[in-house]
Amino acid sequence: MRKRTVLAAVLFAATVGMNAQKPMSAPKGGKAISDELLGIFFEDISSAADGGLYAELLQNGSFEFSPAERDGWGAGTAWKQVRPGHSLGTMQVRMDNPLNTNNATYMRLHTERVKEYYDYKGWKGYGIQNDGFNGISVKAGAKYDFSVFFRNIGNAKKVRVALVKPAQGRGQENVLLAEAILNVNAPSWTKYEAVLTSAEDCKNAVLQILVLNTGDLDIDQVSLMPQDTYKGHGLRKDLAQALADLKPRFMRFPGGCVVHGGGDGFWDTYRWKNTIGPRQERKGLKNTWGYHQSMGLGYYEYFQFCEDLGMQPVPILPCGVSCQGTNGGWSMWPTQAQDVVPMSEMDEWVQDALDLIEWANGDPATSKWAKMRADAGHPKPFGLKYLGLGNEEKISPEFCERFRYIYKKVAEKHPEIVIVGTAGPGSHPDNPDFEAGWKLADELGMPIIDEHYYEPNTYFLNKRQYDSYPRDRKTKVYLGEYAAKDKKLIDALAEGLYLLHVERNGDVVCMTSYAPLFARRDNTNWNPDMIYFDNERPYLTCSYYVQQMFGRSSGQYYYGDCVTFEGDQPGVEQPQPDVHYGQSVVLNVKTRQLFVKLVNASADAKKANLNLSRFGIKKTATQTTISGNANDENNYDQQPIVPQTKQVKAAKRMVIELAPYSMTMLQFTL
């Protein structure tokens, strides 16, 4: 274990050392800190993936929703029968001779009669309709890629695919937005494609698939994707751009409780191998938050997005113990203990971790898994550096036994990978799981441990947890999930004040990520969230803008003696417990930029005195400020809190006026 401990220390020191050797040398008085402090944590909660970041516009395109997963679900969920012109037919759910075993369910359309009545004005056929996620939003002139797998039975078929604006009331007519005619005659499963160009904007379009001949036709894996996605990689452009604008240094995924099965046990545990390869071969699954995941956003897309944004991927894998919420574990009287994998079966979970590293970093010429990555379109390694094992499980004896086993196996095989462990749920010093988690980390010489806590804003205003952490500990902290329990301006400022404290302790805390990241307006499992959205646009919270300032001001050195507040005693470094204002000065030697961040979460205006005489700053600086009333909140109807940016004259000594309930960032070029 000592070898692993020394390696972790060398990795962290090497990172800081490499940063210090960049073109600019750091003036005296700075403390070396992590320059990966601000990242993002993506979990498929509140429909963050399907109907969210993943740009697919249809729901249940694979017909795999099942009542075994959730009461009321079925293959026809999100679909309805349509028969314009009084055509007749039936829909039949089938599983014989499927497209593949991972997608065993498909729909057979039996068209009995195709008739056109005068009052339908050209509309005819028998088929099905998908309304997407509470409507399909399309834009005039935009192109949408339609694809489907058909298997024809008997006579050849003509199939009309149409984007339709539904009739708005009695006596009104459907409006055709786009259409294509497909000639289907293949007797085995075959992919058919078309491009649909919308004639006008529509917020609630539907997709209709109409068979224009009598007979039988099998249908599976229906998809409608906008051509204009983020960097052409299948992610919704506006939501991906909102994340890019945060300037995150890493992304943790896919969870969260999604990782290890949540309240349902191991049967819905996320298995990364089911999420790679051709989309029609991926295995969908109900997730712990109560809805179905298509896995169209899978590990390949996660890693590709990290590459697109210049982020380090931080995948999290289960380690043989279910979420503590399993079997009623969230209640006061759980029905039984967490589910655990028998030790005799743990090698399967170890192999999943080893295979992931090969898939991400291996040589396609020698590695089966790396070849799958190359076949998907990425022959070069992704450069995986971090791997998380476990997600806030209760630190029970069963967990410790399994974690030790998988940790040692992975560390021995891949000492170059930095393993992120877990401190359990509720990572506070007075929590027994926290104590046990840190004990295990010290025993193993774990490089990084993941802490989680959600608290009222008073916690973030008044606690300075990391000031007391030992400086000689080998294990660094990743604050992987945290947030104040509301989304008002005072909550965001409390988080900002706490992040100033984290920056001051950037030699102990190496990464942070707010959680949850996304929530769909009409399907929200958890509040608050950083970004809310509907089919039309994202809604950015006050917390988003605080996170954005920190993401844009990463650096390698922290200076605590450059700012004083009027009325404070000399030598008192802010932020302090129970003092609701504070400062942080961070130098990025790579970009030759200096960042001064000032938070005033109090009801009184403050004056901050800046002494930047040790830095060779240029004559102008960029000042960004958010401010308002303590209870202001960005929502769907109003966005009162948005950053205000201006150029200001820079000087070695400056006085900055801080409004009540405000955060200001000054960016200087050196």
PDB file of all heavy atoms in Angstrom, residues 432-451:
ATOM      1  N   PRO A 432     -20.863   9.063  11.268  1.00  0.00           N
ATOM      2  CA  PRO A 432     -20.080   7.816  11.393  1.00  0.00           C
ATOM      3  C   PRO A 432     -19.557   7.301  10.054  1.00  0.00           C
ATOM      4  O   PRO A 432     -18.447   6.761   9.986  1.00  0.00           O
ATOM      5  CB  PRO A 432     -21.072   6.834  12.016  1.00  0.00           C
ATOM      6  CG  PRO A 432     -22.096   7.686  12.696  1.00  0.00           C
ATOM      7  CD  PRO A 432     -22.207   8.925  11.876  1.00  0.00           C
ATOM      8  N   ASP A 433     -20.355   7.445   8.972  1.00  0.00           N
ATOM      9  CA  ASP A 433     -19.891   6.999   7.658  1.00  0.00           C
ATOM     10  C   ASP A 433     -18.695   7.825   7.203  1.00  0.00           C
ATOM     11  O   ASP A 433     -17.759   7.296   6.598  1.00  0.00           O
ATOM     12  CB  ASP A 433     -21.015   7.110   6.624  1.00  0.00           C
ATOM     13  CG  ASP A 433     -22.082   6.046   6.810  1.00  0.00           C
ATOM     14  OD1 ASP A 433     -21.711   4.878   6.998  1.00  0.00           O
ATOM     15  OD2 ASP A 433     -23.273   6.380   6.784  1.00  0.00           O
ATOM     16  N   PHE A 434     -18.730   9.101   7.484  1.00  0.00           N
ATOM     17  CA  PHE A 434     -17.616   9.981   7.121  1.00  0.00           C
ATOM     18  C   PHE A 434     -16.331   9.522   7.810  1.00  0.00           C
ATOM     19  O   PHE A 434     -15.274   9.396   7.189  1.00  0.00           O
ATOM     20  CB  PHE A 434     -17.968  11.415   7.517  1.00  0.00           C
ATOM     21  CG  PHE A 434     -16.869  12.412   7.315  1.00  0.00           C
ATOM     22  CD1 PHE A 434     -16.659  12.995   6.080  1.00  0.00           C
ATOM     23  CD2 PHE A 434     -16.054  12.792   8.369  1.00  0.00           C
ATOM     24  CE1 PHE A 434     -15.655  13.925   5.893  1.00  0.00           C
ATOM     25  CE2 PHE A 434     -15.045  13.713   8.193  1.00  0.00           C
ATOM     26  CZ  PHE A 434     -14.846  14.287   6.947  1.00  0.00           C
ATOM     27  N   GLU A 435     -16.437   9.250   9.091  1.00  0.00           N
ATOM     28  CA  GLU A 435     -15.269   8.791   9.850  1.00  0.00           C
ATOM     29  C   GLU A 435     -14.750   7.462   9.305  1.00  0.00           C
ATOM     30  O   GLU A 435     -13.540   7.272   9.110  1.00  0.00           O
ATOM     31  CB  GLU A 435     -15.636   8.656  11.330  1.00  0.00           C
ATOM     32  CG  GLU A 435     -14.477   8.239  12.210  1.00  0.00           C
ATOM     33  CD  GLU A 435     -14.871   8.147  13.681  1.00  0.00           C
ATOM     34  OE1 GLU A 435     -15.954   8.644  14.046  1.00  0.00           O
ATOM     35  OE2 GLU A 435     -14.093   7.560  14.463  1.00  0.00           O
ATOM     36  N   ALA A 436     -15.682   6.534   9.015  1.00  0.00           N
ATOM     37  CA  ALA A 436     -15.278   5.223   8.503  1.00  0.00           C
ATOM     38  C   ALA A 436     -14.695   5.336   7.100  1.00  0.00           C
ATOM     39  O   ALA A 436     -13.742   4.624   6.744  1.00  0.00           O
ATOM     40  CB  ALA A 436     -16.480   4.280   8.498  1.00  0.00           C
ATOM     41  N   GLY A 437     -15.263   6.219   6.278  1.00  0.00           N
ATOM     42  CA  GLY A 437     -14.763   6.409   4.927  1.00  0.00           C
ATOM     43  C   GLY A 437     -13.345   6.951   4.912  1.00  0.00           C
ATOM     44  O   GLY A 437     -12.492   6.490   4.134  1.00  0.00           O
ATOM     45  N   TRP A 438     -13.072   7.908   5.780  1.00  0.00           N
ATOM     46  CA  TRP A 438     -11.726   8.470   5.847  1.00  0.00           C
ATOM     47  C   TRP A 438     -10.735   7.459   6.440  1.00  0.00           C
ATOM     48  O   TRP A 438      -9.569   7.412   6.035  1.00  0.00           O
ATOM     49  CB  TRP A 438     -11.728   9.758   6.659  1.00  0.00           C
ATOM     50  CG  TRP A 438     -11.916  10.960   5.780  1.00  0.00           C
ATOM     51  CD1 TRP A 438     -13.050  11.697   5.609  1.00  0.00           C
ATOM     52  CD2 TRP A 438     -10.924  11.559   4.938  1.00  0.00           C
ATOM     53  NE1 TRP A 438     -12.833  12.705   4.716  1.00  0.00           N
ATOM     54  CE2 TRP A 438     -11.538  12.660   4.290  1.00  0.00           C
ATOM     55  CE3 TRP A 438      -9.594  11.275   4.660  1.00  0.00           C
ATOM     56  CZ2 TRP A 438     -10.851  13.470   3.389  1.00  0.00           C
ATOM     57  CZ3 TRP A 438      -8.912  12.086   3.763  1.00  0.00           C
ATOM     58  CH2 TRP A 438      -9.534  13.164   3.136  1.00  0.00           C
ATOM     59  N   LYS A 439     -11.200   6.654   7.368  1.00  0.00           N
ATOM     60  CA  LYS A 439     -10.330   5.610   7.922  1.00  0.00           C
ATOM     61  C   LYS A 439      -9.900   4.647   6.825  1.00  0.00           C
ATOM     62  O   LYS A 439      -8.726   4.253   6.727  1.00  0.00           O
ATOM     63  CB  LYS A 439     -11.060   4.867   9.042  1.00  0.00           C
ATOM     64  CG  LYS A 439     -10.218   3.776   9.703  1.00  0.00           C
ATOM     65  CD  LYS A 439     -11.005   3.089  10.826  1.00  0.00           C
ATOM     66  CE  LYS A 439     -10.177   1.981  11.465  1.00  0.00           C
ATOM     67  NZ  LYS A 439     -10.933   1.269  12.537  1.00  0.00           N
ATOM     68  N   LEU A 440     -10.850   4.255   5.971  1.00  0.00           N
ATOM     69  CA  LEU A 440     -10.543   3.355   4.860  1.00  0.00           C
ATOM     70  C   LEU A 440      -9.597   4.039   3.866  1.00  0.00           C
ATOM     71  O   LEU A 440      -8.667   3.413   3.346  1.00  0.00           O
ATOM     72  CB  LEU A 440     -11.841   2.933   4.164  1.00  0.00           C
ATOM     73  CG  LEU A 440     -11.718   1.951   3.004  1.00  0.00           C
ATOM     74  CD1 LEU A 440     -11.128   0.626   3.459  1.00  0.00           C
ATOM     75  CD2 LEU A 440     -13.086   1.729   2.351  1.00  0.00           C
ATOM     76  N   ALA A 441      -9.818   5.324   3.607  1.00  0.00           N
ATOM     77  CA  ALA A 441      -8.956   6.064   2.684  1.00  0.00           C
ATOM     78  C   ALA A 441      -7.518   6.115   3.196  1.00  0.00           C
ATOM     79  O   ALA A 441      -6.562   5.919   2.435  1.00  0.00           O
ATOM     80  CB  ALA A 441      -9.496   7.478   2.488  1.00  0.00           C
ATOM     81  N   ASP A 442      -7.360   6.374   4.483  1.00  0.00           N
ATOM     82  CA  ASP A 442      -6.014   6.418   5.065  1.00  0.00           C
ATOM     83  C   ASP A 442      -5.338   5.048   5.000  1.00  0.00           C
ATOM     84  O   ASP A 442      -4.139   4.935   4.724  1.00  0.00           O
ATOM     85  CB  ASP A 442      -6.088   6.902   6.514  1.00  0.00           C
ATOM     86  CG  ASP A 442      -6.439   8.384   6.625  1.00  0.00           C
ATOM     87  OD1 ASP A 442      -6.233   9.115   5.634  1.00  0.00           O
ATOM     88  OD2 ASP A 442      -6.924   8.801   7.690  1.00  0.00           O
ATOM     89  N   GLU A 443      -6.127   4.003   5.248  1.00  0.00           N
ATOM     90  CA  GLU A 443      -5.576   2.645   5.217  1.00  0.00           C
ATOM     91  C   GLU A 443      -5.034   2.300   3.832  1.00  0.00           C
ATOM     92  O   GLU A 443      -3.954   1.709   3.696  1.00  0.00           O
ATOM     93  CB  GLU A 443      -6.673   1.648   5.612  1.00  0.00           C
ATOM     94  CG  GLU A 443      -6.291   0.186   5.420  1.00  0.00           C
ATOM     95  CD  GLU A 443      -7.503  -0.735   5.410  1.00  0.00           C
ATOM     96  OE1 GLU A 443      -8.498  -0.434   6.120  1.00  0.00           O
ATOM     97  OE2 GLU A 443      -7.476  -1.742   4.673  1.00  0.00           O
ATOM     98  N   LEU A 444      -5.785   2.679   2.793  1.00  0.00           N
ATOM     99  CA  LEU A 444      -5.425   2.303   1.430  1.00  0.00           C
ATOM    100  C   LEU A 444      -4.498   3.317   0.760  1.00  0.00           C
ATOM    101  O   LEU A 444      -3.970   3.039  -0.321  1.00  0.00           O
ATOM    102  CB  LEU A 444      -6.693   2.140   0.584  1.00  0.00           C
ATOM    103  CG  LEU A 444      -7.649   1.012   0.992  1.00  0.00           C
ATOM    104  CD1 LEU A 444      -8.931   1.073   0.175  1.00  0.00           C
ATOM    105  CD2 LEU A 444      -6.973  -0.346   0.816  1.00  0.00           C
ATOM    106  N   GLY A 445      -4.307   4.467   1.374  1.00  0.00           N
ATOM    107  CA  GLY A 445      -3.558   5.521   0.701  1.00  0.00           C
ATOM    108  C   GLY A 445      -4.293   6.019  -0.530  1.00  0.00           C
ATOM    109  O   GLY A 445      -3.688   6.320  -1.568  1.00  0.00           O
ATOM    110  N   MET A 446      -5.611   6.116  -0.421  1.00  0.00           N
ATOM    111  CA  MET A 446      -6.472   6.497  -1.530  1.00  0.00           C
ATOM    112  C   MET A 446      -6.086   7.887  -2.057  1.00  0.00           C
ATOM    113  O   MET A 446      -5.927   8.815  -1.269  1.00  0.00           O
ATOM    114  CB  MET A 446      -7.920   6.491  -1.044  1.00  0.00           C
ATOM    115  CG  MET A 446      -8.985   6.522  -2.108  1.00  0.00           C
ATOM    116  SD  MET A 446     -10.623   6.631  -1.332  1.00  0.00           S
ATOM    117  CE  MET A 446     -10.670   5.125  -0.358  1.00  0.00           C
ATOM    118  N   PRO A 447      -5.941   8.067  -3.371  1.00  0.00           N
ATOM    119  CA  PRO A 447      -5.549   9.391  -3.874  1.00  0.00           C
ATOM    120  C   PRO A 447      -6.582  10.481  -3.598  1.00  0.00           C
ATOM    121  O   PRO A 447      -6.235  11.594  -3.214  1.00  0.00           O
ATOM    122  CB  PRO A 447      -5.380   9.163  -5.378  1.00  0.00           C
ATOM    123  CG  PRO A 447      -5.174   7.704  -5.539  1.00  0.00           C
ATOM    124  CD  PRO A 447      -5.952   7.055  -4.447  1.00  0.00           C
ATOM    125  N   ILE A 448      -7.886  10.161  -3.822  1.00  0.00           N
ATOM    126  CA  ILE A 448      -8.952  11.156  -3.695  1.00  0.00           C
ATOM    127  C   ILE A 448     -10.166  10.500  -3.071  1.00  0.00           C
ATOM    128  O   ILE A 448     -10.502   9.350  -3.386  1.00  0.00           O
ATOM    129  CB  ILE A 448      -9.331  11.743  -5.069  1.00  0.00           C
ATOM    130  CG1 ILE A 448      -8.126  12.423  -5.731  1.00  0.00           C
ATOM    131  CG2 ILE A 448     -10.470  12.751  -4.940  1.00  0.00           C
ATOM    132  CD1 ILE A 448      -8.391  12.893  -7.157  1.00  0.00           C
ATOM    133  N   ILE A 449     -10.847  11.228  -2.195  1.00  0.00           N
ATOM    134  CA  ILE A 449     -12.091  10.751  -1.595  1.00  0.00           C
ATOM    135  C   ILE A 449     -13.197  11.741  -1.922  1.00  0.00           C
ATOM    136  O   ILE A 449     -12.988  12.959  -1.936  1.00  0.00           O
ATOM    137  CB  ILE A 449     -11.949  10.559  -0.067  1.00  0.00           C
ATOM    138  CG1 ILE A 449     -13.124   9.756   0.498  1.00  0.00           C
ATOM    139  CG2 ILE A 449     -11.781  11.887   0.652  1.00  0.00           C
ATOM    140  CD1 ILE A 449     -12.914   9.300   1.929  1.00  0.00           C
ATOM    141  N   ASP A 450     -14.381  11.217  -2.220  1.00  0.00           N
ATOM    142  CA  ASP A 450     -15.516  12.007  -2.697  1.00  0.00           C
ATOM    143  C   ASP A 450     -16.467  12.290  -1.535  1.00  0.00           C
ATOM    144  O   ASP A 450     -17.037  11.367  -0.953  1.00  0.00           O
ATOM    145  CB  ASP A 450     -16.220  11.215  -3.808  1.00  0.00           C
ATOM    146  CG  ASP A 450     -17.398  11.951  -4.416  1.00  0.00           C
ATOM    147  OD1 ASP A 450     -17.567  13.149  -4.151  1.00  0.00           O
ATOM    148  OD2 ASP A 450     -18.145  11.305  -5.181  1.00  0.00           O
ATOM    149  N   GLU A 451     -16.646  13.575  -1.221  1.00  0.00           N
ATOM    150  CA  GLU A 451     -17.549  13.991  -0.146  1.00  0.00           C
ATOM    151  C   GLU A 451     -18.810  14.607  -0.744  1.00  0.00           C
ATOM    152  O   GLU A 451     -18.749  15.310  -1.758  1.00  0.00           O
ATOM    153  CB  GLU A 451     -16.860  15.009   0.765  1.00  0.00           C
ATOM    154  CG  GLU A 451     -15.651  14.463   1.484  1.00  0.00           C
ATOM    155  CD  GLU A 451     -15.066  15.458   2.484  1.00  0.00           C
ATOM    156  OE1 GLU A 451     -15.468  16.644   2.491  1.00  0.00           O
ATOM    157  OE2 GLU A 451     -14.197  15.037   3.258  1.00  0.00           O
TER     158      GLU A 451
END
